[in-house]
Amino acid sequence: MPKRPPAELLRFTHGERWVHRATAILMGICLATAGILYVDVLSQLFGHRALVEWIHVIAGIALPVPILFGLLSKAFRADAGRLNRFTRNDWKWLRSRQRRDGRIPVGKFNAGQKLNANFQLGAIFTMLGTGIIMRFANAWPVSLRTGATFVHDWMSYAILAMVLGHIYMANRDPYALRGMRTGYVSTSWAQREHKAWAVREIERTKATRGN
């Protein structure tokens, strides 16, 4: 008798969810404190500019730390490899208007998630580098300080737009949101949204049960 597919699949381990949450919290602190520092109304409302600036600096320096700790996890490293690899089906997914109907066998992450993850990773290290130059300005030539300030300021707007878009897309799909919250997703959702990954996970789960 053929084995029935499991009702749920493990999408993210506890360690992966911890990295996501810690990174999200630190990113939120950076964006909130940046808003207080750069928007006059908020700056006047909260005051304590020196303290806010230090919180911003500390959160910015700490931002890559969860990712670096995540590299100790085999599951996190595997997902990092998936996010860093574009396939032919990813390009099809980007071009398709019916990309969510399940006909394109998407892997664990779709092309939009891969683009977002790679942008955010690059942005984190760009902001870290430019932020260090701005914080220790006297150690650098004026031209480098000016360029760092320009990149840091404009990159912050791009990050805010991407973060808001990420939150919007996540809230449009409660099943995906549940996967990040609990680690598990329904098999039916996985087969529709990430068919190639779901097929492999179902087979792996069946083989594990067989043993």
Side-chain angles (χ1 to χ4, degrees), residues 18 25 43 81 88 141 146 158 182:
W18 176 86
I25 291 170
S43 184
R88 187 173 299 175
T146 303
T182 68

Side-chain angles (χ1 to χ4, degrees), residues 97-196:
R97 293 184 178 181
Q98 289 80 36
R99 59 175 65 101
R100 311 305 286 266
D101 61 6
R103 287 186 293 179
I104 301 174
V106 176
K108 187 172 184 180
F109 303 102
N110 62 45
Q113 292 165 336
K114 291 179 180 181
L115 289 173
N116 177 69
N118 281 279
F119 170 82
Q120 295 292 356
L121 180 63
I124 285 171
F125 286 100
T126 298
M127 296 298 274
L128 176 62
T130 55
I132 289 174
I133 293 173
M134 293 168 64
R135 185 66 185 85
F136 304 101
N138 293 333
W140 313 94
V142 175
S143 59
L144 190 58
R145 298 200 309 259
T146 303
T149 302
F150 177 84
V151 172
H152 199 86
D153 289 351
W154 282 101
M155 182 64 78
S156 65
Y157 291 112
I159 292 172
L160 178 61
M162 291 293 286
V163 168
L164 292 176
H166 181 64
I167 294 172
Y168 171 74
M169 294 301 295
N171 281 281
R172 284 187 61 189
D173 192 341
Y175 300 102
L177 199 60
R178 177 175 176 268
M180 184 53 70
R181 189 176 68 253
T182 68
Y184 288 88
V185 294
S186 68
T187 301
S188 59
W189 175 87
Q191 288 174 319
R192 183 181 71 253
E193 297 286 342
H194 301 273
K195 188 174 182 179

Side-chain angles (χ1 to χ4, degrees), residues 7 12 17 46 51 63 66 76 93 104 118 182 188 195 204:
F12 297 113
R17 302 198 309 278
F46 285 90
L51 176 61
L63 198 50
F76 182 86
W93 188 91
I104 301 174
N118 281 279
T182 68
S188 59
K195 188 174 182 179
R204 186 183 64 81

Side-chain angles (χ1 to χ4, degrees), residues 5-6 8-12 79 82 108 185 187 190 194-208:
E8 293 186 324
L9 298 174
L10 176 64
R11 185 161 172 80
F12 297 113
D79 277 354
R82 294 185 182 102
K108 187 172 184 180
V185 294
T187 301
H194 301 273
K195 188 174 182 179
W197 171 73
V199 169
R200 288 193 298 268
E201 286 300 302
I202 290 170
E203 291 302 318
R204 186 183 64 81
T205 303
K206 287 180 178 179
T208 303

